[in-house]
Amino acid sequence: MKKLFHVSLAAMLAVILILPAYASPSVFEDVPSGYWAEADIRYVAERKLFTGVSATRFNPSGRLSWAMLSTVLYRCAGSPEVSGPSPYPDVPEGQWYTAGITWAYENRIFPLRTLNSPQLDVNAEVCRAEFCIMLYNCAGALGQPLPGSGAPVADHSFADMDWTQFSIAGCAALFEEAETAMLRWAMPLGIMEGVSDTAMEPLEGLSRAQAAAMLCRFDRAAGSGESPEESNPPELSEPEAPADPVPVQPDPGPAESEPIPSTPPAKPIPQLTPAQLIWQNPELPNGCEATSLSILLSCTGTPADKIDVLDNYLPKQPITWIHGVRCGPDPQAAYAGDATLKGGGWYCFEAPVIQAGDAWLWAKGQPYQMKNLTGLSQEELEQYLSQQVPLVVWATLQCQTPHLSSYPWTLPDGTKYYPYINLHCFVLTGFISGKYYAADPIYGWQALSPDTFWAAFDAMGRRAVTLSPLPDSGTTQ
């Protein structure tokens, strides 16, 4: 498994914003006594979380760009090797910021609208909301949701934290992530504050002083706020399961299929080959279901193409606007939206995946059928995985707490459906030495803590499917 981070949370925030780095004194000439962020700047400087632009100047009003912040967080992560090419045509290979931007893209540190953008203006300013989202994604990538995550700020009075305001500014695609990161995470933890009682200024540029304040509060919230001379953060232990997941909404029940077996197969299906990783990007920005199904189907020994599975087998229905009302399908009936469009696709549950898998298996003459395991117990799941029987499962991105969008679509029966904004589908391939192993179409090969996985898997309804021999196929289980 390629680990996202090899350093502690405090080390992750060891931010160096300029080259070369300068020593950080306790007081900067341009940070006067009584300045609103004086204590925060002193804190991050003394802990070398943030340096000055010179030995005596901090430049608190200076602005931060995508190139700078991507490189900062990449270096804080230990500068891991990046496997892919530059993700944006306007980010040339070999530049000082290329590796950082590629890493941030591959590990989904960027906001979704940045991930889905056809290009990246590396010198463009990062706004307050975008930086908060990046910190939130970093915390999630570490697998350590902080206390208070998921608790929304009730009855807030911030007029600019409104979808209409984001839409007017051309930033509607940013709103849902900003609402989650700022109001459900940063505000409850004290990492971010409003600039007044009625304004957050989420779309304003981020100053170095504001970034220093947020980094200081993030570090304190992480529990590493000891004095600099005593600071020697330990290595991260195994991430714990998120506490108190938010309640998930009721949704249509699992597809009708054969009952869940009381005992898993006595041995693996002989003809299945080991799972091979298939990446969903860049062709399918939102196609984790089609890609995960392709990984499973390829275990038959006949390679499955994710585009073929999506185009020719997976049931799909668009998200449309009818008389000003957003309308979409039941995820148990069809994939919602267009997975090939950046920002244009949502997800589906197990019923459409079973339908697509059975159609593909029949078309390819394979002696298998899809098996619905939704609702299985942890013991049953682990027995399957111990025998290397692959399972397509539904959880969340990086097994974070599930979050619902604030903006529903209307189902064909007239009810409102509030979709998940961080649902994710991937393939579990084994259970070895107390770890689940997964082929993840976004993050690659992963080793997961069972507790962390089950917190998300259980919250999403324990949805899982696998392959089973046809009754007359001659294979045994």
Side-chain angles (χ1 to χ4, degrees):
M1 164 186 166
K2 181 180 75 174
K3 293 185 177 180
L4 291 176
F5 294 91
H6 304 279
V7 292
S8 69
L9 181 59
M12 185 200 75
L13 296 174
V15 179
I16 301 174
L17 289 178
I18 60 171
L19 290 175
Y22 295 93
S24 299
S26 59
V27 178
F28 294 97
E29 292 178 353
D30 56 354
V31 180
S33 177
Y35 182 67
W36 71 269
E38 179 188 10
D40 297 325
I41 291 172
R42 182 188 298 271
Y43 179 96
V44 297
E46 289 177 347
R47 287 158 178 77
K48 300 187 185 301
L49 304 180
F50 209 127
T51 65
V53 297
S54 74
T56 59
R57 297 184 65 254
F58 186 79
N59 189 21
S61 62
R63 300 292 177 164
L64 305 179
S65 68
W66 290 111
M68 186 177 292
L69 280 177
S70 300
T71 302
V72 164
L73 295 179
Y74 170 66
R75 290 173 180 164
C76 293
S79 300
E81 182 179 354
V82 292
S83 58
S86 168
Y88 301 100
D90 59 339
V91 177
E93 300 288 350
Q95 299 298 308
W96 63 269
Y97 48 77
T98 303
I101 289 172
T102 302
W103 168 84
Y105 180 89
E106 289 181 347
N107 292 292
R108 300 182 71 84
I109 303 301
F110 288 139
L112 286 175
R113 74 165 187 169
T114 304
L115 288 172
N116 295 333
S117 175
Q119 61 183 10
L120 179 72
D121 183 352
V122 296
N123 295 316
E125 292 182 2
V126 177
C127 70
R128 284 162 51 83
E130 289 166 331
F131 180 61
C132 188
I133 292 167
M134 292 177 74
L135 281 181
Y136 175 79
N137 289 341
C138 282
L142 280 171
Q144 294 194 356
L146 301 178
S149 178
V153 174
D155 299 325
H156 69 81
S157 58
F158 304 116
D160 49 8
M161 287 300 298
D162 175 78
W163 183 86
T164 301
Q165 297 296 320
F166 276 69
S167 180
I168 292 173
C171 299
L174 189 66
F175 176 73
E176 290 177 354
E177 286 181 289
E179 182 185 49
T180 295
M182 299 173 78
L183 299 184
R184 291 180 177 269
W185 180 72
M187 285 286 290
L189 290 175
I191 292 170
M192 173 175 271
E193 298 176 351
V195 298
S196 72
D197 292 339
T198 59
M200 283 287 287
E201 294 187 354
L203 304 179
E204 294 298 318
L206 180 77
S207 72
R208 289 169 54 85
Q210 290 172 334
M214 291 177 65
L215 289 170
C216 169
R217 295 162 189 168
F218 188 12
D219 191 57
R220 289 185 184 277
S224 58
E226 59 275 297
S227 63
E229 60 272 15
E230 295 173 351
S231 179
N232 186 18
E235 293 297 317
L236 285 174
S237 59
E238 279 298 319
E240 298 180 350
D244 300 325
V246 296
V248 296
Q249 68 180 72
D251 50 55
E256 293 185 1
S257 63
E258 57 187 299
I260 299 170
S262 57
T263 57
K267 59 182 179 180
I269 302 170
Q271 288 80 5
L272 290 182
T273 61
Q276 300 295 316
L277 179 65
I278 300 175
W279 296 95
Q280 74 178 61
N281 288 315
E283 298 88 353
L284 301 180
N286 304 287
C288 57
E289 294 88 356
T291 308
S292 294
L293 177 58
S294 297
I295 294 173
L296 178 68
L297 295 174
S298 295
C299 293
T300 63
T302 299
D305 180 78
K306 63 187 179 184
I307 303 299
D308 175 54
V309 168
L310 176 69
D311 288 348
N312 299 314
Y313 297 99
L314 187 68
K316 301 175 290 296
Q317 293 180 22
I319 301 291
T320 59
W321 288 86
I322 301 176
H323 303 301
V325 176
R326 187 165 74 154
C327 299
D330 180 344
Q332 278 286 14
Y335 181 89
D338 188 342
T340 66
L341 294 179
K342 294 181 177 181
W346 285 87
Y347 55 81
C348 65
F349 289 131
E350 69 275 16
V353 169
I354 290 171
Q355 180 179 338
D358 281 339
W360 185 94
L361 291 165
W362 183 86
K364 304 299 181 183
Q366 291 290 334
Y368 297 95
Q369 61 187 352
M370 298 293 293
K371 180 185 287 288
N372 189 358
L373 299 178
T374 297
L376 81 173
S377 68
Q378 184 168 351
E379 179 183 4
E380 290 170 329
L381 179 141
E382 291 178 355
Q383 288 188 45
Y384 275 103
L385 295 182
S386 295
Q387 299 163 26
Q388 286 75 56
V389 176
L391 309 176
V392 174
V393 295
W394 280 256
T396 55
L397 291 168
Q398 299 172 333
C399 293
Q400 298 174 357
T401 301
H403 289 303
L404 296 174
S405 169
S406 300
Y407 295 93
W409 65 68
T410 299
L411 297 178
D413 65 3
T415 61
K416 290 184 177 180
Y417 180 78
Y418 290 84
Y420 297 101
I421 60 176
N422 61 344
L423 181 144
H424 188 39
C425 182
F426 51 92
V427 181
L428 292 181
T429 61
F431 180 42
I432 304 172
S433 300
K435 295 277 191 176
Y436 297 164
Y437 286 82
D440 191 304
I442 291 178
Y443 302 110
W445 290 106
Q446 303 280 299
L448 305 174
S449 160
D451 287 345
T452 299
F453 169 78
W454 269 88
F457 180 61
D458 186 57
M460 297 305 299
R462 302 189 185 186
R463 303 176 188 276
V465 301
T466 189
L467 294 170
S468 175
L470 290 171
D472 58 351
S473 65
T475 60
T476 60
Q477 293 192 38

